[in-house]
Amino acid sequence: MNQFPYVSLQRGRKIRLLKLAGGRGDRALKGELIHADLNLDLEYSALSYVWGSELAGTKIECNGHEVEIGKNLAEALRHIRHESESRYIWVDALCINQQDMGEKGHQVALMKDIYAYAWEVDVWLGPDEEGSAAGLFSEVENLVTLLEVQVKEDFNSLNGEQWHHFRTAPFPILRQLSLLFKRQYFTRTWVIQEVGLTNRPVAHCGKAVINFNKPGLLAMAFVKYLRPTLSSFGYLTEFELTDSRDKVYAFISHPSAQQGADRFLGPGEGMPAGRNMTDEDVKLRVLSIIFAPANVTRRLAGLHHIGDHPPGPASPDQVVVNQLLENPGPHIRAPRYWPGSSFIKPDYNLSVVDVYLDFARQMIRRTESLEVLSFVQHPASLPPTGPGFPSWVPRWDALSDVSILGGRNCDHFATANRRQIISPSPNHSSLVVRGLFFDRVGFHTIPLTREDLTDDSKTSPLWTMSKTCQVATYPVPEYPRIYAPGVVLTQDPDRMKAYRRTWVAGRTIATGNADSDDFNPDVDFAAHQLDYLRNKDKDQPFTDLPHMIRMAALESEAKGGDGQRYAEAAGRVCHGRCFFITKGGFFGIGPGILQPDDAVALLLGADVPFILREKEKCGDNFGGWALIGECYVHGIMTGDAIRAWGGSDGDLVDITLC
């Protein structure tokens, strides 16, 4: 680039903007560089593009001087300029004096704010040489609308069946999206900072235009529902992020993940007022969380990072989602100024392990809890991705359709709301927490699927486990209780109730919508059992008096109940998990990879218990525990064990997770 006679920027948050003159087609590019202050309420757009190496003799006239620019930048400016009016644009190649290393460093540090404050970000993907971009973008728009309709109409039954026709043939849209994601633009790590921070990212491919988030959202839905199809057609690589670190950096680059973002400054407080996002922006962000390639619940945790909420994992809430999709304006507000900086800074020089470790530790500090541990989902034997990856660190890049039991909106308080106590770790990859060992796993089922509990053609484990759990005998023995000298606990000895509640993890809401959900685990279970026995009677009628008396009693218990609702609630909870019985006789639901003799532990700062497995070594140190995953154990979910044994630190010990 020819040397342009830059006038030095003043100190502070000063930047340059390009006032790009209007023009059509291949007419010469003209503009003027002006100085501006980020602290003022500026209206400008920012350009996100690939620099490229070709100068190709293309020039722009700036303040009366000819400046040579790259071919790709020239094409981008020609496509995004207005035909007759000037527009203000921030372009790094022109607005930063690339020869002044001091200025360059200062401006790069401001880039997150430059892109965040921009009225929109213009994403230049390159020319549309095949002339297919407009058609592709139109189909993307239609499919994203279909996704939104599915979420609003049946939030809790999102299973991808509506996409089955894509599994049978290499539909053109799959190939076209694959080619789109192969473009050089998508290899840039700066995409996270440039596009992730803006309210309105607008993608340009030739003359075709679309909200940049829509192709990405559709790609996530395809990966979630059509992964085998994409793999068989050779498209999977282009649809997935190529760097696991991007998952974390994309998450934290969202403005409200900044420190202090839960308290937005308003007029009169020294900074400009907040700027509302468009309804479309809000809807796309909500949908992107739901359809991200991981379990639905985990991505819904991100809803609390969009608006005025302190960070913290959340459980799925259909009411919130529908409100955001129907009328997002009043619910979400994008800050104009975020005090502080991101709680971890993107650094691609760090290993994937270090990035995920840092993120997990910072989440524990920010939420002042161990809620983040509920997002540990190990799909197979440990360690999940090879040696060196701690078992207690969530893998945000791993696919999982297992629901989350703990989290921000969890109804449980297994550690009696005691705050977490973190002790110095023996090594960088370990986490030392205060907790209590409650019991060990005695018996467990194989990992269950949703269909095991909802498919009427199968014998549900609800019935096959009834004898093992001693709820099909008469009389039914009492459920075990916790006893401690001098401690009075009001625990229910009803074994049948414990059995019913365990399969749904103690939930009193089946769908997430408390306003329209009449779920009653006891009544609905009775209705489900009645349905099962009636179907069984069709094949082998029972006419004995005890059976007839039992059926009459069930009919009375099941009044107003919905058996299918119970089955679906149990299916959501148990999918990917095992039913287990501790050696002390307590019922539980735990990770699919649990084993006999695994420990059930209560960790202060977490709302649910965890399954731990003893390890001979923790890094270079002896003794430690692998975190297998969260669990539900009936009888200890309201803090009874902590109150009985953890008073004045009682049986609490330091537990090293590694």
Side-chain angles (χ1 to χ4, degrees):
M1 182 184 300
N2 295 342
Q3 182 60 37
F4 177 80
Y6 286 97
V7 176
S8 297
L9 291 168
Q10 297 178 12
R11 291 188 177 185
R13 296 165 56 80
K14 300 297 191 296
I15 62 171
R16 296 185 187 90
L17 292 175
L18 173 66
K19 184 180 180 182
L20 181 63
R24 296 182 180 180
D26 292 330
R27 289 185 179 179
L29 293 166
K30 293 184 179 181
E32 178 185 358
L33 286 175
I34 63 171
H35 290 201
D37 190 335
L38 269 180
N39 288 336
L40 300 179
D41 196 10
L42 306 172
E43 289 198 10
Y44 67 94
S45 61
L47 180 64
S48 179
Y49 68 106
V50 176
W51 269 48
S53 57
E54 296 182 75
L55 290 179
T58 307
K59 298 178 180 179
I60 180 172
E61 182 182 314
C62 248
N63 300 66
H65 298 270
E66 285 194 342
V67 182
E68 197 168 10
I69 58 176
K71 177 183 177 182
N72 197 46
L73 175 56
E75 288 181 336
L77 293 176
R78 287 196 175 98
H79 277 85
I80 67 172
R81 66 181 173 180
H82 293 152
E83 290 188 356
S84 57
E85 298 178 358
S86 297
R87 61 177 303 195
Y88 291 93
I89 304 174
W90 187 87
V91 185
D92 56 356
L94 291 169
C95 295
I96 298 176
N97 183 356
Q98 303 294 328
Q99 308 303 316
D100 185 338
M101 293 299 105
E103 177 183 304
K104 188 173 181 179
H106 179 259
Q107 292 289 293
V108 167
L110 290 176
M111 279 179 64
K112 69 178 181 65
D113 288 343
I114 293 172
Y115 280 96
Y117 292 3
W119 185 251
E120 69 180 22
V121 169
D122 290 292
V123 178
W124 174 245
L125 301 178
D128 180 19
E129 295 173 348
E130 296 183 357
S132 59
L136 170 62
F137 289 172
S138 176
E139 189 162 1
V140 168
E141 296 269 10
N142 293 335
L143 289 173
V144 168
T145 300
L146 175 62
L147 286 177
E148 183 183 336
V149 171
Q150 288 176 16
V151 170
K152 287 194 289 188
E153 290 184 352
D154 200 2
F155 174 79
N156 290 286
S157 300
L158 295 171
N159 54 22
E161 285 304 312
Q162 300 88 339
W163 304 80
H164 65 89
H165 58 282
F166 284 107
R167 299 172 184 159
T168 58
F171 273 66
I173 190 171
L174 298 181
R175 175 183 171 274
Q176 292 169 0
L177 276 177
S178 174
L179 292 175
L180 182 72
F181 295 139
K182 279 184 178 179
R183 289 176 178 255
Q184 189 179 0
Y185 179 84
F186 291 97
T187 66
R188 303 170 64 250
T189 57
W190 281 108
V191 171
I192 299 297
Q193 179 158 262
E194 294 174 2
V195 181
L197 284 172
T198 186
N199 289 339
R200 299 180 59 196
V202 180
H204 303 257
C205 186
K207 294 182 179 180
V209 177
I210 192 172
N211 185 305
F212 179 82
N213 291 323
K214 290 187 176 182
L217 170 63
L218 191 60
M220 288 191 288
F222 281 151
V223 170
K224 184 177 181 67
Y225 295 138
L226 304 174
R227 186 181 182 85
T229 303
L230 293 174
S231 180
S232 65
F233 295 148
Y235 299 150
L236 186 59
T237 301
E238 284 71 42
F239 277 74
E240 291 191 306
L241 284 170
T242 56
D243 194 318
S244 297
R245 292 165 292 196
D246 289 344
K247 294 282 187 176
V248 169
Y249 292 156
F251 178 71
I252 63 169
S253 69
H254 193 284
S256 53
Q258 311 288 329
Q259 288 180 352
D262 52 294
R263 177 183 174 274
F264 299 154
L265 298 176
E269 296 184 78
M271 290 296 167
R275 172 184 291 162
N276 288 332
M277 287 189 280
T278 66
D279 286 1
E280 182 181 60
D281 295 327
V282 174
K283 290 179 180 180
L284 287 174
R285 292 190 181 189
V286 174
L287 291 172
S288 68
I289 291 168
I290 296 171
F291 288 100
N295 72 66
V296 170
T297 308
R298 179 181 301 170
R299 291 304 153 197
L300 279 169
L303 286 175
H304 283 267
H305 294 260
I306 296 181
D308 305 38
H309 301 278
S315 54
D317 188 339
Q318 184 184 9
V319 178
V320 172
V321 171
N322 283 340
Q323 284 178 340
L324 292 172
L325 293 178
E326 292 287 354
N327 186 23
H331 297 280
I332 294 190
R333 184 171 174 235
R336 175 73 180 123
Y337 176 75
W338 303 285
S341 58
S342 177
F343 62 94
I344 66 172
K345 296 182 182 300
D347 184 353
Y348 285 84
N349 292 317
L350 296 176
S351 68
V352 174
V353 174
D354 286 337
V355 170
Y356 280 58
L357 262 170
D358 192 16
F359 182 71
R361 289 188 184 279
Q362 292 293 346
M363 286 298 291
I364 290 171
R365 292 191 188 102
R366 294 192 86 215
T367 62
E368 297 184 338
S369 75
L370 297 182
E371 291 175 348
V372 71
L373 300 186
S374 282
F375 296 92
V376 171
Q377 303 278 349
H378 298 305
S381 58
L382 297 172
T385 55
F389 212 105
S391 65
W392 61 273
V393 175
R395 289 307 309 263
W396 305 102
D397 57 338
L399 293 170
S400 174
D401 56 357
V402 179
S403 62
I404 301 298
L405 302 177
R408 185 177 184 84
N409 291 339
C410 172
D411 292 331
H412 309 303
F413 45 98
T415 59
N417 291 326
R418 296 275 294 270
R419 293 172 66 91
Q420 85 279 12
I421 299 176
I422 309 294
S423 300
S425 303
N427 55 61
H428 176 61
S429 61
S430 299
L431 180 70
V432 180
V433 298
R434 189 71 54 83
L436 176 136
F437 287 103
F438 172 72
D439 204 345
R440 286 187 180 268
V441 174
F443 167 86
H444 68 85
T445 66
I446 62 172
L448 304 171
T449 66
R450 186 176 289 102
E451 290 72 26
D452 288 335
L453 290 113
T454 59
D455 188 345
D456 292 337
S457 66
K458 298 180 179 181
T459 301
S460 171
L462 286 167
W463 320 129
T464 59
M465 284 295 296
S466 61
K467 289 184 179 180
T468 305
C469 295
Q470 296 179 283
V471 294
T473 59
Y474 184 82
V476 176
E478 287 191 348
Y479 188 70
R481 285 180 280 181
I482 298 171
Y483 295 96
V487 179
V488 178
L489 299 172
T490 57
Q491 291 189 297
D492 192 340
D494 188 331
R495 190 178 191 85
M496 191 64 205
K497 181 180 288 187
Y499 187 73
R500 294 168 171 172
R501 299 293 176 94
T502 299
W503 286 101
V504 293
R507 291 183 175 175
T508 55
I509 297 175
T511 64
N513 188 346
D515 293 333
S516 62
D517 194 339
D518 297 321
F519 179 64
N520 182 312
D522 300 313
V523 175
D524 284 357
F525 180 94
H528 186 49
Q529 188 176 13
L530 186 63
D531 293 341
Y532 166 71
L533 292 175
R534 282 173 174 169
N535 288 331
K536 194 174 180 181
D537 279 356
K538 290 178 182 177
D539 301 325
Q540 187 179 356
F542 289 88
T543 57
D544 59 286
L545 185 59
H547 178 72
M548 295 174 67
I549 293 174
R550 177 62 183 140
M551 291 292 286
L554 272 178
E555 288 178 359
S556 177
E557 292 178 36
K559 282 185 179 178
D562 185 334
Q564 186 60 32
R565 183 168 57 196
Y566 183 92
E568 290 173 356
R572 278 190 291 273
V573 168
C574 296
H575 181 75
R577 291 192 168 97
C578 302
F579 184 98
F580 67 90
I581 306 173
T582 71
K583 292 185 176 181
F586 289 82
F587 301 154
I589 295 290
I593 63 168
L594 63 75
Q595 298 175 0
D597 286 325
D598 281 346
V600 177
L602 295 158
L603 309 179
L604 299 188
D607 292 324
V608 294
F610 290 89
I611 299 293
L612 306 182
R613 186 173 301 157
E614 200 161 8
K615 295 181 69 174
E616 293 183 1
K617 292 193 69 175
C618 244
D620 296 329
N621 302 279
F622 290 97
W625 297 83
L627 191 143
I628 306 303
E630 61 174 357
C631 67
Y632 173 92
V633 178
H634 192 82
I636 67 170
M637 302 304 293
T638 55
D640 299 283
I642 291 293
R643 284 194 293 271
W645 304 331
S648 299
D649 282 352
D651 294 327
L652 297 177
V653 296
D654 281 340
I655 301 173
T656 301
L657 303 178
C658 54

